[in-house]
Amino acid sequence: MASHLEPDSLPAPGADGLVHSAALIARIEQAIDAAGGWLPFSRFMELALYTPGLGYYSGASVRFGRRPEDGSDFVTAPELTPLFARAVARPVADALIASGTREIFEFGAGTGKLAAGLLETLHGWSIPVERYTIVDLSGALREEQRQTIVDHVPALAGRVHWIDRLPDQFDGVLIGNEVLDAMPVRLHVRGAEAWLERGVVRTAGPDPFAWEDRQAPHADALRTLLDSIDADEGYVTESHEAAHAFTRTLCEKLGRGVVMLLDYGFPEREYYHPQRVEGTLMCHYRHRSHGDPFVYPGLQDITAHVDFTGIAQAGLDAGADLLGYMTQARFLLNSGLADTLTAFDPRDTISFLPAANAVQKLVSEAEMGELFKVIAFGKRVDPDAITAFVNGDRSHTL
Ligand SMILES: C[S@@+](CC[C@H](N)C(=O)[O-])C[C@H]1O[C@@H](n2cnc3c(N)ncnc32)[C@H](O)[C@@H]1O
């Protein structure tokens, strides 16, 4: 896992990176001016990550990888080991069979490793997948995804399609790994008298951006949420309007099938705990994590943990059934992750040890096993048909 560092100790980007970041800074400055001098943080985050051609996910910089030497910033489960995709194939197969559907949708498909691994494993089990449809805001990643799929499963590459947005209705199994945490969040600060919204202003000094907290109108649901927090003055937290709307839309559009979302986060009670005084906003740059989103805009990832209670409510509001909510460790072990290691000979330490280390990282409580969760929604599917959700469900904690 990444270490926490002060931004000053981060490695400096190259000249091209600085030019890229300067162009994005200028774009964000224009947006601040156009908005009258103050932008809600959610809009800053959206511009930093998704401004066409310049944002972190819509530009061309390297993001996913195992080491800082690759120029990458963080590693996700599908990048860590192909065993992740092989294990996730089990519940995906159960969901395809239970729903009688033959299409997989993947949101935010990264480098395409999960897609390639799922297609290969399901094909090996003779589970029919007629189409694998990728929806990603990042056009720059499409080429990388296509290449990964052609390299790993050339015979199945013709089944993969890319679309910009989901159709109005879809049937099938939808999966998104670490997509919710990449959605813009609003920031809220407990002031002496009331909750304030934290936004971004320009400065006259060498740093282009600074924080400014303002009184802002709150929708009833947000006001109720903020008022429920036992927060002292200075407490900072996030709200997740974009992730909730995204989940609601997915579940509204789901005709028959399953939506599975994997990410790091907690139920509301834990998320808005009085001791979580700084919230969960986090930036990732060259495998270091820190809390300053104004560093190198466009070159670093900005994320927040997921509030799974809000996600569950959004899916239920859209008429979907909550099929399960559990830790990633329990989900992957239920899906046979440990068994995937039997494909390796323990005496062949060169291949066995890295595979065993990756499995350990995925399930260890100290690493990704406990912090990462899986939530699944279904429509017209028997909840007991997905065996990965039968043991260890924690829906009652939401
Ligand atoms: C942290 S990356 C995870 C990538 C990949 N799933 C993995 O695990 O390696 C987040 C991805 O979500 C995508 N994303 C964020 N919001 C999205 C949305 N509304 N629709 C589609 N993709 C989205 C981003 O473009 C990015 O590719």
Side-chain angles (χ1 to χ4, degrees), residues 50 57 64 76 78 107-108 110 135-137 141 177-179 182-183:
Y50 302 111
Y57 282 113
F64 315 95
T76 56
F107 264 80
V135 193
D136 206 308
L137 291 182
L141 284 172
N177 187 61
E178 291 203 39
V179 176
M183 302 212 164

Side-chain angles (χ1 to χ4, degrees), residues 94-295:
D94 286 347
L96 287 167
I97 294 166
S99 59
T101 57
R102 296 180 169 213
E103 182 162 7
I104 298 174
F105 295 83
E106 185 181 352
F107 264 80
T111 63
K113 292 215 171 80
L114 179 59
L118 285 176
L119 280 165
E120 183 179 34
T121 309
L122 293 168
H123 184 69
W125 293 340
S126 302
I127 306 284
V129 178
E130 284 168 6
R131 285 166 68 92
Y132 194 107
T133 302
I134 295 178
V135 193
D136 206 308
L137 291 182
S138 164
L141 284 172
R142 276 189 190 189
E143 200 36 52
E144 198 171 345
Q145 291 159 1
R146 189 190 309 277
Q147 199 54 55
T148 304
I149 291 159
V150 167
D151 290 348
H152 284 75
V153 281
L156 304 174
R159 300 188 191 175
V160 183
H161 299 260
W162 283 262
I163 55 175
D164 292 327
R165 62 183 62 214
L166 264 187
D168 288 343
Q169 206 211 319
F170 71 95
D171 293 337
V173 177
L174 186 148
I175 188 156
N177 187 61
E178 291 203 39
V179 176
L180 295 173
D181 72 76
M183 302 212 164
V185 290
R186 288 171 74 185
L187 290 183
H188 308 280
V189 186
R190 178 69 218 187
E193 305 292 330
W195 283 96
L196 304 172
E197 178 153 3
R198 177 155 284 186
V200 182
V201 293
R202 296 180 61 175
T203 74
D207 297 328
F209 305 120
W211 296 117
E212 191 176 292
D213 302 335
R214 289 192 175 178
Q215 276 195 319
H218 292 146
D220 288 350
L222 177 59
R223 177 163 301 286
T224 307
L225 172 70
L226 293 175
D227 287 345
S228 73
I229 306 172
D230 181 12
D232 289 333
E233 188 178 344
Y235 183 102
V236 182
T237 192
E238 304 91 27
S239 62
H240 301 262
E241 287 76 3
H244 295 171
F246 170 80
T247 307
R248 202 174 307 116
T249 304
L250 293 187
C251 290
E252 275 166 5
K253 291 183 169 192
L254 178 66
R256 174 195 286 272
V258 173
V259 168
M260 258 181 245
L261 301 168
L262 295 85
D263 223 310
Y264 41 91
F266 330 96
E268 198 169 281
R269 214 170 308 123
E270 233 177 296
Y271 198 109
Y272 297 107
H273 193 279
Q275 285 172 1
R276 199 178 301 286
V277 292
E278 294 181 349
T280 71
L281 193 73
M282 188 68 68
C283 306
H284 300 280
Y285 176 74
R286 304 281 170 87
H287 295 265
R288 269 94 155 175
S289 54
H290 66 92
D292 186 348
F294 300 154
V295 172

